């Protein structure tokens, strides 16, 4: 015997998403009734709600610490490669991604040129990765001045696969955000291949 019961019976502002409580095969001598299930659902929802709030608070604490560390790195060094390294390490750990790339706009041409130091060993024997204005996901983000999440790049016509083909690297998902200074786009930062799950709006906001 089973009786599914939607829970929690709360507004959407609570931390627990909607779910289902289903107790299967209660004892014949003491079957559960609707009121008993309702009470169990309320207790379970309260516990999970508090656990979700605690987990979210802990995650925010780590994220705030990361932002503080990155801010400190940016103000303590003027060396571009050193800044790229420190920013990359922090962001890769916080977003749990495989790789990070930063591309800056080359003013004479409008091309986006990516920092070699972040590209990884597969790119060591390649010339600097450079894409034309408006090309690829990075080009779209720079042109539109708008972030973009693509969790399956090979099914998105904006993706530029030539870099994967040349390097042997496999890109699966990208979160790309424009780098904007005083309303001018100077480049793009891309988090590549989230290790668990899909990129979401929270990742985008943090990046």
């Amino acid at each position: 015997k089973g009786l599914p019961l939607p829970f929690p019976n709360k507004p959407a502002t609570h931390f627990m998403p909607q779910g289902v409580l289903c107790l299967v095969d209660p004892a014949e001598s003491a079957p559960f009734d609707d009121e008993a299930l309702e009470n169990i659902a309320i207790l379970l929802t309260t516990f999970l709600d508090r656990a979700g709030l605690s987990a979210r608070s802990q995650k925010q604490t780590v994220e705030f610490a990361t932002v503080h560390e990155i801010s400190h790195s940016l103000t303590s060094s003027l060396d571009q490669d050193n800044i790229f390294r420190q920013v990359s390490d922090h962001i890769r750990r916080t977003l749990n991604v495989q790789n990070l790339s930063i591309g800056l706009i080359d003013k004479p041409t409008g091309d986006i040129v990516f920092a070699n130091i972040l590209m990884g060993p597969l790119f060591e024997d390649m010339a600097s990765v450079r894409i034309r204005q408006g090309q690829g996901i990075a080009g779209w983000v720079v042109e539109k001045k708008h972030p973009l999440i693509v969790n399956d790049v090979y099914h998105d016509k904006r993706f530029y696969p030539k870099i994967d083909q040349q390097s042997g690297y496999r890109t699966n998902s990208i979160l790309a955000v424009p780098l904007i200074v005083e309303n001018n786009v100077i480049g793009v930062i891309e988090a590549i291949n989230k290790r668990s799950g899909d990129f979401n709006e929270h990742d985008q906001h943090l990046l």
Side-chain angles (χ1 to χ4, degrees), residues 49-77:
D49 219 26
R50 290 177 179 173
L53 176 60
S54 176
R56 179 170 175 173
S57 297
Q58 291 174 5
K59 184 177 181 181
Q60 285 180 336
T61 298
V62 172
E63 290 170 353
F64 289 146
T66 299
V67 172
H68 174 75
E69 290 176 20
I70 290 176
S71 299
H72 178 72
S73 298
L74 295 177
T75 56
S76 62
S77 173

PDB file of all heavy atoms in Angstrom, residues 49-77:
ATOM      1  N   ASP A  49      14.194  21.676   5.347  1.00  0.00           N
ATOM      2  CA  ASP A  49      14.281  23.116   5.131  1.00  0.00           C
ATOM      3  C   ASP A  49      15.456  23.713   5.903  1.00  0.00           C
ATOM      4  O   ASP A  49      16.225  24.521   5.385  1.00  0.00           O
ATOM      5  CB  ASP A  49      12.974  23.759   5.576  1.00  0.00           C
ATOM      6  CG  ASP A  49      12.533  24.876   4.644  1.00  0.00           C
ATOM      7  OD1 ASP A  49      12.907  24.843   3.466  1.00  0.00           O
ATOM      8  OD2 ASP A  49      11.808  25.775   5.104  1.00  0.00           O
ATOM      9  N   ARG A  50      15.596  23.300   7.169  1.00  0.00           N
ATOM     10  CA  ARG A  50      16.702  23.800   7.993  1.00  0.00           C
ATOM     11  C   ARG A  50      18.045  23.312   7.472  1.00  0.00           C
ATOM     12  O   ARG A  50      19.038  24.057   7.458  1.00  0.00           O
ATOM     13  CB  ARG A  50      16.502  23.359   9.444  1.00  0.00           C
ATOM     14  CG  ARG A  50      15.343  24.073  10.131  1.00  0.00           C
ATOM     15  CD  ARG A  50      15.126  23.563  11.542  1.00  0.00           C
ATOM     16  NE  ARG A  50      14.028  24.262  12.199  1.00  0.00           N
ATOM     17  CZ  ARG A  50      13.543  23.930  13.391  1.00  0.00           C
ATOM     18  NH1 ARG A  50      14.056  22.897  14.052  1.00  0.00           N
ATOM     19  NH2 ARG A  50      12.553  24.620  13.921  1.00  0.00           N
ATOM     20  N   ALA A  51      18.082  22.055   7.035  1.00  0.00           N
ATOM     21  CA  ALA A  51      19.328  21.512   6.478  1.00  0.00           C
ATOM     22  C   ALA A  51      19.713  22.265   5.202  1.00  0.00           C
ATOM     23  O   ALA A  51      20.889  22.578   4.974  1.00  0.00           O
ATOM     24  CB  ALA A  51      19.175  20.020   6.187  1.00  0.00           C
ATOM     25  N   GLY A  52      18.715  22.563   4.355  1.00  0.00           N
ATOM     26  CA  GLY A  52      18.987  23.302   3.129  1.00  0.00           C
ATOM     27  C   GLY A  52      19.485  24.708   3.407  1.00  0.00           C
ATOM     28  O   GLY A  52      20.409  25.195   2.752  1.00  0.00           O
ATOM     29  N   LEU A  53      18.894  25.365   4.412  1.00  0.00           N
ATOM     30  CA  LEU A  53      19.332  26.713   4.794  1.00  0.00           C
ATOM     31  C   LEU A  53      20.767  26.696   5.309  1.00  0.00           C
ATOM     32  O   LEU A  53      21.573  27.556   4.971  1.00  0.00           O
ATOM     33  CB  LEU A  53      18.388  27.272   5.858  1.00  0.00           C
ATOM     34  CG  LEU A  53      18.757  28.634   6.440  1.00  0.00           C
ATOM     35  CD1 LEU A  53      18.808  29.686   5.341  1.00  0.00           C
ATOM     36  CD2 LEU A  53      17.758  29.042   7.521  1.00  0.00           C
ATOM     37  N   SER A  54      21.092  25.679   6.126  1.00  0.00           N
ATOM     38  CA  SER A  54      22.442  25.564   6.670  1.00  0.00           C
ATOM     39  C   SER A  54      23.464  25.351   5.555  1.00  0.00           C
ATOM     40  O   SER A  54      24.527  25.984   5.521  1.00  0.00           O
ATOM     41  CB  SER A  54      22.503  24.407   7.669  1.00  0.00           C
ATOM     42  OG  SER A  54      23.821  24.210   8.137  1.00  0.00           O
ATOM     43  N   ALA A  55      23.146  24.451   4.609  1.00  0.00           N
ATOM     44  CA  ALA A  55      24.061  24.174   3.496  1.00  0.00           C
ATOM     45  C   ALA A  55      24.262  25.413   2.636  1.00  0.00           C
ATOM     46  O   ALA A  55      25.376  25.722   2.197  1.00  0.00           O
ATOM     47  CB  ALA A  55      23.521  23.023   2.654  1.00  0.00           C
ATOM     48  N   ARG A  56      23.166  26.144   2.408  1.00  0.00           N
ATOM     49  CA  ARG A  56      23.267  27.355   1.587  1.00  0.00           C
ATOM     50  C   ARG A  56      24.123  28.412   2.280  1.00  0.00           C
ATOM     51  O   ARG A  56      24.938  29.084   1.642  1.00  0.00           O
ATOM     52  CB  ARG A  56      21.863  27.892   1.328  1.00  0.00           C
ATOM     53  CG  ARG A  56      21.839  29.159   0.495  1.00  0.00           C
ATOM     54  CD  ARG A  56      20.433  29.511   0.070  1.00  0.00           C
ATOM     55  NE  ARG A  56      20.388  30.792  -0.623  1.00  0.00           N
ATOM     56  CZ  ARG A  56      19.311  31.274  -1.208  1.00  0.00           C
ATOM     57  NH1 ARG A  56      18.202  30.579  -1.212  1.00  0.00           N
ATOM     58  NH2 ARG A  56      19.339  32.444  -1.799  1.00  0.00           N
ATOM     59  N   SER A  57      23.961  28.555   3.596  1.00  0.00           N
ATOM     60  CA  SER A  57      24.745  29.536   4.347  1.00  0.00           C
ATOM     61  C   SER A  57      26.226  29.194   4.304  1.00  0.00           C
ATOM     62  O   SER A  57      27.080  30.077   4.136  1.00  0.00           O
ATOM     63  CB  SER A  57      24.265  29.592   5.803  1.00  0.00           C
ATOM     64  OG  SER A  57      22.927  30.020   5.875  1.00  0.00           O
ATOM     65  N   GLN A  58      26.554  27.890   4.448  1.00  0.00           N
ATOM     66  CA  GLN A  58      27.949  27.475   4.397  1.00  0.00           C
ATOM     67  C   GLN A  58      28.554  27.748   3.022  1.00  0.00           C
ATOM     68  O   GLN A  58      29.695  28.196   2.904  1.00  0.00           O
ATOM     69  CB  GLN A  58      28.061  25.985   4.742  1.00  0.00           C
ATOM     70  CG  GLN A  58      27.742  25.676   6.201  1.00  0.00           C
ATOM     71  CD  GLN A  58      27.708  24.186   6.470  1.00  0.00           C
ATOM     72  OE1 GLN A  58      28.009  23.373   5.605  1.00  0.00           O
ATOM     73  NE2 GLN A  58      27.329  23.821   7.680  1.00  0.00           N
ATOM     74  N   LYS A  59      27.777  27.475   1.982  1.00  0.00           N
ATOM     75  CA  LYS A  59      28.260  27.711   0.626  1.00  0.00           C
ATOM     76  C   LYS A  59      28.512  29.196   0.391  1.00  0.00           C
ATOM     77  O   LYS A  59      29.527  29.585  -0.213  1.00  0.00           O
ATOM     78  CB  LYS A  59      27.240  27.193  -0.388  1.00  0.00           C
ATOM     79  CG  LYS A  59      27.695  27.299  -1.834  1.00  0.00           C
ATOM     80  CD  LYS A  59      26.686  26.698  -2.782  1.00  0.00           C
ATOM     81  CE  LYS A  59      27.166  26.790  -4.224  1.00  0.00           C
ATOM     82  NZ  LYS A  59      26.180  26.239  -5.179  1.00  0.00           N
ATOM     83  N   GLN A  60      27.606  30.047   0.877  1.00  0.00           N
ATOM     84  CA  GLN A  60      27.775  31.488   0.697  1.00  0.00           C
ATOM     85  C   GLN A  60      29.014  31.990   1.441  1.00  0.00           C
ATOM     86  O   GLN A  60      29.714  32.882   0.959  1.00  0.00           O
ATOM     87  CB  GLN A  60      26.526  32.223   1.187  1.00  0.00           C
ATOM     88  CG  GLN A  60      25.348  32.096   0.245  1.00  0.00           C
ATOM     89  CD  GLN A  60      24.118  32.818   0.749  1.00  0.00           C
ATOM     90  OE1 GLN A  60      23.977  33.048   1.951  1.00  0.00           O
ATOM     91  NE2 GLN A  60      23.226  33.167  -0.155  1.00  0.00           N
ATOM     92  N   THR A  61      29.283  31.403   2.620  1.00  0.00           N
ATOM     93  CA  THR A  61      30.473  31.796   3.382  1.00  0.00           C
ATOM     94  C   THR A  61      31.738  31.519   2.570  1.00  0.00           C
ATOM     95  O   THR A  61      32.648  32.350   2.503  1.00  0.00           O
ATOM     96  CB  THR A  61      30.532  31.031   4.715  1.00  0.00           C
ATOM     97  OG1 THR A  61      29.379  31.360   5.499  1.00  0.00           O
ATOM     98  CG2 THR A  61      31.782  31.399   5.498  1.00  0.00           C
ATOM     99  N   VAL A  62      31.800  30.339   1.943  1.00  0.00           N
ATOM    100  CA  VAL A  62      32.956  29.983   1.110  1.00  0.00           C
ATOM    101  C   VAL A  62      33.063  30.928  -0.084  1.00  0.00           C
ATOM    102  O   VAL A  62      34.153  31.392  -0.446  1.00  0.00           O
ATOM    103  CB  VAL A  62      32.834  28.519   0.630  1.00  0.00           C
ATOM    104  CG1 VAL A  62      33.915  28.204  -0.400  1.00  0.00           C
ATOM    105  CG2 VAL A  62      32.938  27.562   1.810  1.00  0.00           C
ATOM    106  N   GLU A  63      31.922  31.246  -0.697  1.00  0.00           N
ATOM    107  CA  GLU A  63      31.941  32.112  -1.874  1.00  0.00           C
ATOM    108  C   GLU A  63      32.385  33.528  -1.517  1.00  0.00           C
ATOM    109  O   GLU A  63      33.157  34.148  -2.252  1.00  0.00           O
ATOM    110  CB  GLU A  63      30.552  32.121  -2.522  1.00  0.00           C
ATOM    111  CG  GLU A  63      30.204  30.787  -3.173  1.00  0.00           C
ATOM    112  CD  GLU A  63      28.764  30.693  -3.608  1.00  0.00           C
ATOM    113  OE1 GLU A  63      27.978  31.627  -3.286  1.00  0.00           O
ATOM    114  OE2 GLU A  63      28.404  29.705  -4.260  1.00  0.00           O
ATOM    115  N   PHE A  64      31.899  34.063  -0.405  1.00  0.00           N
ATOM    116  CA  PHE A  64      32.315  35.398   0.016  1.00  0.00           C
ATOM    117  C   PHE A  64      33.819  35.432   0.290  1.00  0.00           C
ATOM    118  O   PHE A  64      34.502  36.402  -0.050  1.00  0.00           O
ATOM    119  CB  PHE A  64      31.555  35.832   1.266  1.00  0.00           C
ATOM    120  CG  PHE A  64      30.108  36.149   1.018  1.00  0.00           C
ATOM    121  CD1 PHE A  64      29.157  35.878   1.984  1.00  0.00           C
ATOM    122  CD2 PHE A  64      29.699  36.726  -0.179  1.00  0.00           C
ATOM    123  CE1 PHE A  64      27.822  36.168   1.759  1.00  0.00           C
ATOM    124  CE2 PHE A  64      28.361  37.018  -0.413  1.00  0.00           C
ATOM    125  CZ  PHE A  64      27.422  36.741   0.563  1.00  0.00           C
ATOM    126  N   ALA A  65      34.334  34.361   0.915  1.00  0.00           N
ATOM    127  CA  ALA A  65      35.772  34.285   1.190  1.00  0.00           C
ATOM    128  C   ALA A  65      36.560  34.264  -0.119  1.00  0.00           C
ATOM    129  O   ALA A  65      37.619  34.897  -0.234  1.00  0.00           O
ATOM    130  CB  ALA A  65      36.083  33.037   2.021  1.00  0.00           C
ATOM    131  N   THR A  66      36.044  33.549  -1.114  1.00  0.00           N
ATOM    132  CA  THR A  66      36.718  33.477  -2.413  1.00  0.00           C
ATOM    133  C   THR A  66      36.767  34.838  -3.082  1.00  0.00           C
ATOM    134  O   THR A  66      37.804  35.258  -3.604  1.00  0.00           O
ATOM    135  CB  THR A  66      35.986  32.474  -3.334  1.00  0.00           C
ATOM    136  OG1 THR A  66      36.014  31.180  -2.728  1.00  0.00           O
ATOM    137  CG2 THR A  66      36.640  32.419  -4.701  1.00  0.00           C
ATOM    138  N   VAL A  67      35.635  35.548  -3.072  1.00  0.00           N
ATOM    139  CA  VAL A  67      35.593  36.885  -3.667  1.00  0.00           C
ATOM    140  C   VAL A  67      36.581  37.813  -2.955  1.00  0.00           C
ATOM    141  O   VAL A  67      37.285  38.603  -3.595  1.00  0.00           O
ATOM    142  CB  VAL A  67      34.163  37.456  -3.601  1.00  0.00           C
ATOM    143  CG1 VAL A  67      34.158  38.931  -4.033  1.00  0.00           C
ATOM    144  CG2 VAL A  67      33.228  36.652  -4.494  1.00  0.00           C
ATOM    145  N   HIS A  68      36.666  37.699  -1.637  1.00  0.00           N
ATOM    146  CA  HIS A  68      37.612  38.529  -0.867  1.00  0.00           C
ATOM    147  C   HIS A  68      39.053  38.207  -1.270  1.00  0.00           C
ATOM    148  O   HIS A  68      39.865  39.122  -1.466  1.00  0.00           O
ATOM    149  CB  HIS A  68      37.424  38.291   0.625  1.00  0.00           C
ATOM    150  CG  HIS A  68      38.431  38.993   1.482  1.00  0.00           C
ATOM    151  ND1 HIS A  68      38.390  40.357   1.722  1.00  0.00           N
ATOM    152  CD2 HIS A  68      39.544  38.533   2.126  1.00  0.00           C
ATOM    153  CE1 HIS A  68      39.411  40.694   2.485  1.00  0.00           C
ATOM    154  NE2 HIS A  68      40.127  39.607   2.744  1.00  0.00           N
ATOM    155  N   GLU A  69      39.371  36.921  -1.397  1.00  0.00           N
ATOM    156  CA  GLU A  69      40.733  36.528  -1.763  1.00  0.00           C
ATOM    157  C   GLU A  69      41.095  37.014  -3.163  1.00  0.00           C
ATOM    158  O   GLU A  69      42.215  37.474  -3.409  1.00  0.00           O
ATOM    159  CB  GLU A  69      40.873  35.002  -1.682  1.00  0.00           C
ATOM    160  CG  GLU A  69      40.848  34.467  -0.251  1.00  0.00           C
ATOM    161  CD  GLU A  69      40.882  32.946  -0.214  1.00  0.00           C
ATOM    162  OE1 GLU A  69      41.297  32.347  -1.215  1.00  0.00           O
ATOM    163  OE2 GLU A  69      40.483  32.373   0.814  1.00  0.00           O
ATOM    164  N   ILE A  70      40.146  36.918  -4.084  1.00  0.00           N
ATOM    165  CA  ILE A  70      40.406  37.385  -5.441  1.00  0.00           C
ATOM    166  C   ILE A  70      40.615  38.896  -5.450  1.00  0.00           C
ATOM    167  O   ILE A  70      41.535  39.414  -6.104  1.00  0.00           O
ATOM    168  CB  ILE A  70      39.242  36.997  -6.382  1.00  0.00           C
ATOM    169  CG1 ILE A  70      39.241  35.479  -6.607  1.00  0.00           C
ATOM    170  CG2 ILE A  70      39.356  37.724  -7.714  1.00  0.00           C
ATOM    171  CD1 ILE A  70      38.084  34.992  -7.441  1.00  0.00           C
ATOM    172  N   SER A  71      39.781  39.621  -4.703  1.00  0.00           N
ATOM    173  CA  SER A  71      39.930  41.076  -4.620  1.00  0.00           C
ATOM    174  C   SER A  71      41.306  41.445  -4.082  1.00  0.00           C
ATOM    175  O   SER A  71      41.953  42.374  -4.568  1.00  0.00           O
ATOM    176  CB  SER A  71      38.845  41.673  -3.725  1.00  0.00           C
ATOM    177  OG  SER A  71      37.567  41.409  -4.253  1.00  0.00           O
ATOM    178  N   HIS A  72      41.756  40.712  -3.068  1.00  0.00           N
ATOM    179  CA  HIS A  72      43.083  40.965  -2.507  1.00  0.00           C
ATOM    180  C   HIS A  72      44.172  40.701  -3.548  1.00  0.00           C
ATOM    181  O   HIS A  72      45.134  41.463  -3.674  1.00  0.00           O
ATOM    182  CB  HIS A  72      43.306  40.080  -1.283  1.00  0.00           C
ATOM    183  CG  HIS A  72      44.668  40.234  -0.673  1.00  0.00           C
ATOM    184  ND1 HIS A  72      45.040  41.365   0.038  1.00  0.00           N
ATOM    185  CD2 HIS A  72      45.764  39.414  -0.683  1.00  0.00           C
ATOM    186  CE1 HIS A  72      46.290  41.227   0.433  1.00  0.00           C
ATOM    187  NE2 HIS A  72      46.751  40.059   0.014  1.00  0.00           N
ATOM    188  N   SER A  73      44.004  39.607  -4.310  1.00  0.00           N
ATOM    189  CA  SER A  73      44.995  39.280  -5.340  1.00  0.00           C
ATOM    190  C   SER A  73      45.088  40.393  -6.377  1.00  0.00           C
ATOM    191  O   SER A  73      46.173  40.754  -6.837  1.00  0.00           O
ATOM    192  CB  SER A  73      44.614  37.965  -6.033  1.00  0.00           C
ATOM    193  OG  SER A  73      44.605  36.893  -5.118  1.00  0.00           O
ATOM    194  N   LEU A  74      43.940  40.939  -6.764  1.00  0.00           N
ATOM    195  CA  LEU A  74      43.910  41.963  -7.808  1.00  0.00           C
ATOM    196  C   LEU A  74      44.551  43.270  -7.355  1.00  0.00           C
ATOM    197  O   LEU A  74      45.061  44.029  -8.176  1.00  0.00           O
ATOM    198  CB  LEU A  74      42.466  42.218  -8.247  1.00  0.00           C
ATOM    199  CG  LEU A  74      41.754  41.051  -8.939  1.00  0.00           C
ATOM    200  CD1 LEU A  74      40.317  41.414  -9.252  1.00  0.00           C
ATOM    201  CD2 LEU A  74      42.483  40.656 -10.210  1.00  0.00           C
ATOM    202  N   THR A  75      44.511  43.532  -6.048  1.00  0.00           N
ATOM    203  CA  THR A  75      45.076  44.792  -5.558  1.00  0.00           C
ATOM    204  C   THR A  75      46.524  44.660  -5.098  1.00  0.00           C
ATOM    205  O   THR A  75      47.171  45.659  -4.811  1.00  0.00           O
ATOM    206  CB  THR A  75      44.236  45.335  -4.386  1.00  0.00           C
ATOM    207  OG1 THR A  75      44.159  44.341  -3.357  1.00  0.00           O
ATOM    208  CG2 THR A  75      42.831  45.697  -4.843  1.00  0.00           C
ATOM    209  N   SER A  76      47.012  43.422  -5.021  1.00  0.00           N
ATOM    210  CA  SER A  76      48.377  43.232  -4.512  1.00  0.00           C
ATOM    211  C   SER A  76      49.389  42.944  -5.625  1.00  0.00           C
ATOM    212  O   SER A  76      50.565  42.779  -5.357  1.00  0.00           O
ATOM    213  CB  SER A  76      48.403  42.075  -3.502  1.00  0.00           C
ATOM    214  OG  SER A  76      48.029  40.858  -4.124  1.00  0.00           O
ATOM    215  N   SER A  77      48.916  42.852  -6.858  1.00  0.00           N
ATOM    216  CA  SER A  77      49.835  42.537  -7.955  1.00  0.00           C
ATOM    217  C   SER A  77      49.385  43.242  -9.221  1.00  0.00           C
ATOM    218  O   SER A  77      48.196  43.365  -9.491  1.00  0.00           O
ATOM    219  CB  SER A  77      49.870  41.024  -8.197  1.00  0.00           C
ATOM    220  OG  SER A  77      50.626  40.723  -9.357  1.00  0.00           O
TER     221      SER A  77
END
